[in-house]
């Protein structure tokens, strides 16, 4: 039997080798099976572009979903152009994974979904399925936002999000800024720590109870921050210097388990910076530059763009300009690539296991035999010599493992007649337990132990 933790390693090796020998072609023309479009015909009864004939059969092992166990297909979010040259080259390169997917499944029939999530946004899934959009015809699923992708792509991080709430941020700018914060929060997980502060001519914490410290970026804290951010209102004049000083102090005081003690970063969200702020970095961050500063310039006005760009470039960060709500998702994701660079350059292929979760696709099929799952994932790096020093993350490979199969690995003869095995994550959440059950309703994606107050989400 093939150990499930070996599958990502084989997939990562194959993807890296395929990229190594693939020469990028900006004019590449390549038809692939788009999961949203497969088996779709136009008004004249002809298969549409990227929607070729893709045989699907109901499969008992995959909870009676209609799948193609001989081939994977590609899902692309609505906000990503499905024929972009980066997408086409990535899809073409990752075709090499098909044989490995099939071989893994043949060697270990307990495996369920196997996949490759690309840093460009496409998602190769095996076995192939027909993807269903939401009621508005939109495919909002983006593999880069998934917990398994983020955990595998970056190391644990301490983040201070700093938002400008001065008068110039009123209207659409503030709406975009709030959405930017929510998107950043969505990229964090239980191994990360975070706080959010707002500034005008003074600094205030959006949650006064968290003053001067960082809190674990678990689901409850992230949702709490989102509610508080929604209540922010603009007024006054912006003084970014005070906010930056406070952010550096928070990160400098990370002790007693109130931080990851790994990557540290400040996310500055503003429509401009007019002050002389160089002295702050000289005092708190130079010359070591242990804290990266990422800057997000909000709105169409580029008057102060050079100042905002200077902050990021001189503190090992990344500058991005966000002028519309549609720009937020792609621009926020850039910081993950920057934080992953040291890991990529060192070629650290760390395997991660996610907490227990329920698969929404399985819920929709009204199937209940494989609801509780965990994902095993690993990052994929570029091994090309010309880009090796740049630390380019190609994406993340992974596989879903039913918790029932994980529990079977425990040697029964060592447990005794009344003993049982269970798994706990490094954050104290239950990963696997004989009494792990859905809480309230499947749609809430919450889990708890029967007769216990210990829950995980």
């Amino acid at each position: 039997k093939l150990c499930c933790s070996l599958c990502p390693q084989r997939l990562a090796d194959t993807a890296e080798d395929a990229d190594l020998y693939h020469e990028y072609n900006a004019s590449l023309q390549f038809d692939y099976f788009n999961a949203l479009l497969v088996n779709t015909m136009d008004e004249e009864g002809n298969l549409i572009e990227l929607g070729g004939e893709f045989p699907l059969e109901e499969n008992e092992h995959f909870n009676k979903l209609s799948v193609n166990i001989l081939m994977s297909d590609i899902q692309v979010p609505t906000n990503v152009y499905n024929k972009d040259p980066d997408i086409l080259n990535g899809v073409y390169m990752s075709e090499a994974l098909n044989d490995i997917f099939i071989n893994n499944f043949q060697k270990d029939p307990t495996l369920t979904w196997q996949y490759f999530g690309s840093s460009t946004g496409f998602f190769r899934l095996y076995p192939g399925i027909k993807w269903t959009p939401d009621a508005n015809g939109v495919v909002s699923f983006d593999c880069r936002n998934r917990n398994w992708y983020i955990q595998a792509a970056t190391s644990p991080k301490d983040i201070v999000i700093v938002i400008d709430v001065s008068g110039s941020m009123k209207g659409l700018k503030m709406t975009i800024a709030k959405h930017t914060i929510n998107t950043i929060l969505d990229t964090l997980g239980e191994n990360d720590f975070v706080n959010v502060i707002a500034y005008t001519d003074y600094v205030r914490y959006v949650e006064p109870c968290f003053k001067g410290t960082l809190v674990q970026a678990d689901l409850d804290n992230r949702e709490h921050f989102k509610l508080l951010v929604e209540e922010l209102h603009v007024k006054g004049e912006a003084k970014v210097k005070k906010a930056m000083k406070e952010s550096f102090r928070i990160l400098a005081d990370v002790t007693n388990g109130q931080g990851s003690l790994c990557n540290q970063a400040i996310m500055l969200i503003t429509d401009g910076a007019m002050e002389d702020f160089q002295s702050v970095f000289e005092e708190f961050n130079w010359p070591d530059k242990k804290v990266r500063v990422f800057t997000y310039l909000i709105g169409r006005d580029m008057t102060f763009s050079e100042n905002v760009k200077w902050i990021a470039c001189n503190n090992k960060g990344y500058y991005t300009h966000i002028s519309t709500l549609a720009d937020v998702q792609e621009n926020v994701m850039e910081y993950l690539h920057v934080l992953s660079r040291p890991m990529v350059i060192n070629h650290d292929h760390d395997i991660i296991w996610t907490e227990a979760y329920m698969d929404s696709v399985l819920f929709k099929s009204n199937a209940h035999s494989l609801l509780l799952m965990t994902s095993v994932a690993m990052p994929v790096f570029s091994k090309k010599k010309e880009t090796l020093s740049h630390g380019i993350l190609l994406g993340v490979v992974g596989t879903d493992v039913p918790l029932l199969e994980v529990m079977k690995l425990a040697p029964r003869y060592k447990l005794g007649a009344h003993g049982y095995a269970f798994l706990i994550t490094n954050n104290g959440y239950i990963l696997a337990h004989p009494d792990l059950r859905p809480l309230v309703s499947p749609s809430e994606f919450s889990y708890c132990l029967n007769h216990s107050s210990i829950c995980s989400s």
Side-chain angles (χ1 to χ4, degrees):
K1 179 179 178 179
L2 180 67
C3 177
C4 54
S5 63
L6 293 179
C7 293
Q9 182 68 65
R10 297 184 67 196
L11 293 171
D13 290 344
T14 301
E16 288 179 356
D17 288 342
D19 175 73
L20 179 62
Y21 298 109
H22 172 72
E23 186 172 339
Y24 186 90
N25 181 0
S27 58
L28 177 66
Q29 298 294 316
F30 177 65
D31 287 331
Y32 60 90
F33 290 110
N34 185 304
L36 179 67
L37 305 176
V38 292
N39 301 331
T40 302
M41 296 186 177
D42 58 22
E43 295 177 353
E44 298 177 356
N46 299 315
L47 291 167
I48 65 174
E49 189 177 22
L50 302 183
E53 185 177 351
F54 194 73
L56 296 169
E57 292 184 7
E58 189 177 284
N59 191 295
E60 187 75 27
H61 180 68
F62 292 94
N63 293 77
K64 297 184 178 180
L65 290 174
S66 294
V67 301
N68 185 330
I69 61 172
L70 298 178
M71 200 174 299
S72 61
D73 58 3
I74 305 295
Q75 177 268 339
V76 183
T78 298
N79 65 325
V80 176
Y81 178 42
N82 59 23
K83 297 196 75 174
D84 181 276
D86 289 343
I87 297 293
L88 292 178
N89 277 269
V91 171
Y92 181 81
M93 174 274 293
S94 62
E95 285 281 295
L97 292 172
N98 266 317
D99 290 341
I100 307 301
F101 286 146
I102 296 170
N103 187 257
N104 284 344
F105 185 53
Q106 290 174 343
K107 288 187 175 182
D108 186 357
T110 64
L111 289 176
T112 54
W113 308 105
Q114 300 177 66
Y115 38 83
F116 169 61
S118 169
S119 60
T120 59
F122 75 83
F123 181 58
R124 181 177 287 279
L125 178 66
Y126 173 87
I129 63 170
K130 170 72 174 177
W131 201 279
T132 304
D134 64 19
N136 298 315
V138 174
V139 178
S140 58
F141 177 92
D142 190 325
C143 61
R144 296 168 297 179
N145 287 338
R146 308 302 289 181
N147 198 17
W148 52 267
Y149 185 99
I150 294 166
Q151 285 188 43
T154 62
S155 302
K157 46 199 173 291
D158 300 329
I159 302 289
V160 178
I161 302 174
V162 182
I163 178 173
D164 178 353
V165 291
S166 63
S168 62
M169 288 286 288
K170 66 180 179 181
L172 180 60
K173 286 183 181 179
M174 197 60 190
T175 302
I176 295 172
K178 290 178 179 179
H179 186 42
T180 301
I181 293 179
N182 290 343
T183 305
I184 293 172
L185 289 171
D186 285 338
T187 67
L188 304 180
E190 291 160 1
N191 293 321
D192 306 316
F193 288 77
V194 67
N195 205 336
V196 182
I197 60 177
Y199 73 93
T200 51
D201 52 351
Y202 66 96
V203 177
R204 69 182 180 92
Y205 288 79
V206 297
E207 174 50 85
C209 293
F210 297 157
K211 182 177 181 179
T213 189
L214 295 171
V215 294
Q216 189 177 24
D218 58 25
L219 182 62
D220 288 341
N221 285 334
R222 295 199 307 269
E223 292 303 314
H224 184 57
F225 276 128
K226 288 180 182 180
L227 291 174
L228 294 171
V229 165
E230 201 56 42
E231 297 172 1
L232 291 175
H233 300 287
V234 300
K235 64 176 181 178
E237 182 182 353
K239 299 290 184 181
V240 69
K241 199 170 181 178
K242 294 179 181 179
M244 296 305 291
K245 284 185 177 181
E246 185 66 18
S247 301
F248 281 116
R249 290 192 186 105
I250 295 172
L251 295 172
D253 293 339
V254 171
T255 54
N256 301 322
Q258 295 304 309
S260 68
L261 301 178
C262 195
N263 291 309
Q264 292 191 325
I266 296 171
M267 309 299 201
L268 176 61
I269 302 168
T270 180
D271 64 343
M274 295 177 286
E275 297 173 81
D276 176 16
F277 34 72
Q278 181 171 331
S279 60
V280 176
F281 303 119
E282 290 174 345
E283 179 182 356
F284 291 97
N285 207 35
W286 295 351
D288 296 334
K289 300 181 181 179
K290 292 182 179 179
V291 178
R292 296 180 185 268
V293 183
F294 296 87
T295 56
Y296 301 87
L297 181 66
I298 305 297
R300 298 186 183 278
D301 188 358
M302 300 287 288
T303 306
F304 302 105
S305 63
E306 288 303 315
N307 289 350
V308 178
K309 185 184 295 183
W310 184 93
I311 293 174
C313 293
N314 286 277
N315 290 278
K316 298 171 67 176
Y318 189 91
Y319 158 82
T320 187
H321 178 216
I322 302 177
S323 57
T324 69
L325 285 169
D327 296 335
V328 173
Q329 181 68 45
E330 287 296 315
N331 284 301
V332 166
M333 298 307 296
E334 290 294 337
Y335 96 87
L336 292 176
H337 298 159
V338 176
L339 289 185
S340 70
R341 282 175 189 164
M343 182 175 67
V344 177
I345 292 171
N346 294 329
H347 235 61
D348 294 334
H349 282 94
D350 293 332
I351 293 178
I352 65 98
W353 291 71
T354 68
E355 66 272 14
Y357 64 90
M358 291 187 180
D359 193 320
S360 60
V361 174
L362 298 183
F363 276 126
K364 292 175 183 176
S365 68
N366 294 318
H368 297 280
S369 60
L370 290 179
L371 288 181
L372 287 169
M373 313 283 285
T374 183
S375 295
V376 189
M378 176 183 286
V380 179
F381 311 134
S382 172
K383 297 196 296 186
K384 293 180 177 179
K385 289 183 179 179
E386 60 269 27
T387 59
L388 203 56
S389 62
H390 298 172
I392 295 178
L393 176 75
L394 299 176
V396 173
V397 292
T399 181
D400 291 348
V401 183
L403 289 184
L404 180 62
E405 297 301 326
V406 176
M407 299 304 292
K408 287 179 180 178
L409 298 176
R412 297 292 302 172
Y413 68 91
K414 288 187 178 181
L415 297 176
H418 302 291
Y420 59 84
F422 61 96
L423 295 175
I424 301 178
T425 69
N426 61 309
N427 291 302
Y429 288 90
I430 301 298
L431 177 63
H433 191 286
D435 293 331
L436 197 61
R437 297 285 185 271
L439 177 63
V440 182
S441 69
S443 60
E444 295 189 50
F445 297 92
S446 299
Y447 313 84
C448 76
L449 285 171
N450 282 354
H451 316 299
S452 170
S453 60
I454 304 176
C455 299
S456 68
S457 301

